[in-house]
């Protein structure tokens, strides 16, 4: 028998005087966050006095009861709809989302997609491919997961097999929040960058859901029976998520691609379901507007490619902003400027030669040719039959509707 609190050093936030721990699906009171043995079944029970408790059925056959969490369960954002805003976590400041790529958000989901089915889901599974680790390590925590939620409960319970990064990579199975508790089965540490995680949520005939996260021959398994007490009436809200805490710079994201492949979704009637995904990223408990959603997913060279039966989440750890005004318009500035400069130089040379010829040869001068509003110069020098005729001529002539050609040449010497 093992029940342990899930508390990491420097991993708590005090909200309303309560120590809250970071976890998949949002902050949770640390003293109601637990790790149990893999293979444990969690059952929520409702007592006659209206309180709730959980009964843990351990793999060795023993049973442990735990009273209801003394702290209120923090609400998670409700299911999004057109133009809706999710419920906010209490006590957390909602940031200014004019530029989501500023990062520094305490809790966010830069890439989240959801689908609400008309029936209970009987199976949701996927294969996770492990991305490269972040190149910088601060207090950043990353959670990649598929999951199911109940759309009718104000507590928004969620079950999820999770690929977690907290300085190292882990596969772990979570259940939130019977009797206000959040539980996970023992984590499986992932050491090989080439490893994959086989993740699944499966319903049996009695309505119990088993959450499994498998790496090689090791698994994190947790069974959830949250329907008998009425906490959950239907598991029909399907989610695909990258959830983050304390990502302050791009190198604190992964440096590459995380893939969800071989996804399967089946309802309780045995029908295969193809989800119509809705993108709904959030920051500190509030969904973003459509333009901000796209911008947030694109931060740090990111992309969120949704397909079926696969999806791909990418970040390259270096934020390269889009081209600025200068990068997009430099041709329009430089080319005309060069043309004007060339004409000015040509005119100056021409004028200088004209003055030089006038001083030495006392020639006849005239300005000729005017094209497109530019005055061009032809200088000639004549000296009583035995002198030379020389000069410098520049002219602009149209070559097309948008371009002109500049021609400069010396006039021939005539004996």
């Amino acid at each position: 028998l093992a029940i342990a609190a899930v508390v990491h050093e420097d991993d708590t936030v005090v909200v309303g005087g309560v120590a809250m721990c970071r976890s998949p699906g949002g902050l949770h009171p640390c003293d109601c966050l637990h790790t149990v043995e893999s293979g444990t079944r969690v059952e929520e029970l409702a007592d006659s006095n209206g309180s709730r408790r959980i009964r843990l059925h351990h793999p060795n056959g023993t049973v442990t009861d735990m009273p209801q969490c003394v702290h209120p369960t923090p609400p998670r954002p409700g299911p999004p709809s057109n133009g809706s805003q999710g419920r906010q976590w209490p006590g957390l400041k909602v940031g200014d989302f004019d530029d989501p790529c500023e990062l520094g958000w305490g809790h966010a989901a830069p890439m989240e997609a959801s689908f609400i089915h008309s029936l209970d889901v009987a199976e949701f599974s996927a294969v996770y491919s492990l991305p490269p680790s972040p190149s910088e390590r601060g207090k950043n925590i990353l959670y990649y997961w598929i999951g199911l939620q109940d759309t009718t409960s104000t507590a928004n319970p969620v079950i999820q097999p999770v690929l977690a990064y907290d300085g190292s990579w882990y596969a772990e199975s979570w259940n939130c929040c019977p009797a206000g508790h959040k539980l996970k089965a023992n984590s499986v540490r992932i050491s090989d960058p080439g490893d994959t995680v086989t993740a699944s949520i499966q319903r049996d005939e009695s309505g119990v859901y088993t959450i499994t996260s498998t790496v090689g021959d090791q698994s994190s398994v947790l069974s959830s029976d949250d329907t008998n007490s009425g906490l959950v009436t239907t598991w029909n809200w399907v989610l695909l998520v990258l959830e983050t805490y304390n990502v302050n710079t791009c190198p604190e994201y992964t440096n590459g691609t995380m893939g969800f492949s071989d996804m399967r979704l089946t309802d309780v009637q045995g029908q295969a379901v193809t989800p119509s995904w809705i993108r709904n990223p959030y920051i500190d408990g509030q969904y973003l507007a459509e333009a901000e959603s796209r911008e947030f997913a694109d931060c740090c060279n990111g992309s969120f490619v949704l397909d079926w039966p696969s999806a791909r989440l990418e970040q390259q750890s270096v934020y390269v902003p889009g081209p600025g005004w200068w990068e997009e318009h430099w041709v329009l500035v430089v080319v005309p400027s060069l043309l004007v400069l060339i004409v000015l130089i040509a005119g100056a040379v021409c004028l200088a030669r004209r003055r030089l010829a006038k001083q030495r040869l006392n020639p006849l001068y005239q300005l000729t040719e005017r094209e497109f509003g530019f005055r061009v110069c032809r200088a000639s020098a004549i000296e009583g039959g035995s002198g030379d005729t020389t000069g410098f001529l520049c002219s602009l002539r149209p070559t097309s509707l948008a371009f002109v050609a500049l021609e400069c040449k010396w006039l021939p010497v005539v004996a």
Side-chain angles (χ1 to χ4, degrees), residues 246-401:
N246 297 334
V247 172
N248 297 311
T249 64
C250 289
E252 292 180 353
Y253 281 124
T254 60
N255 186 21
T257 301
M258 188 279 179
F260 295 88
S261 61
D262 299 328
M263 287 190 285
R264 291 169 52 89
L265 186 63
T266 307
D267 64 26
V268 289
Q269 293 184 350
Q271 298 298 311
V273 178
T274 299
S276 300
W277 295 115
I278 298 173
R279 298 171 187 258
N280 41 256
Y282 60 80
I283 293 175
D284 289 340
Q286 182 164 334
Y287 292 118
L288 304 185
E290 183 177 353
E292 295 165 340
S293 297
R294 291 194 301 268
E295 184 180 356
F296 199 16
D298 292 344
C299 296
C300 304
N301 280 344
S303 65
F304 188 11
V305 180
L306 278 173
D307 205 345
W308 189 260
S310 64
R312 187 174 73 251
L313 291 73
E314 293 184 349
Q315 276 130 349
Q316 297 180 18
S317 289
V318 177
Y319 176 44
V320 179
W325 187 94
W326 175 254
E327 286 83 355
E328 291 184 335
H329 300 91
W330 70 269
V331 173
L332 299 178
V333 175
V334 171
V335 172
S337 299
L338 286 176
L339 289 175
V340 171
L341 181 61
I342 291 172
V343 170
L344 291 175
I345 292 173
V349 171
C350 181
L351 183 60
R353 290 190 58 83
R354 188 178 76 172
R355 289 179 176 175
L356 181 62
K358 183 176 182 180
Q359 291 173 359
R360 294 180 179 178
L361 304 175
N362 190 24
L364 172 65
Y365 299 94
Q366 58 181 354
L367 294 175
T368 65
E369 301 186 27
R370 183 187 296 270
E371 299 180 13
F372 288 85
F374 290 97
R375 183 179 293 274
V376 296
C377 173
R378 176 161 51 200
S380 59
I382 304 172
E383 183 178 359
S386 60
D388 296 334
T389 298
T390 185
F392 183 81
L393 174 63
C394 289
S395 62
L396 290 169
R397 60 182 180 81
T399 60
S400 68
L401 185 62

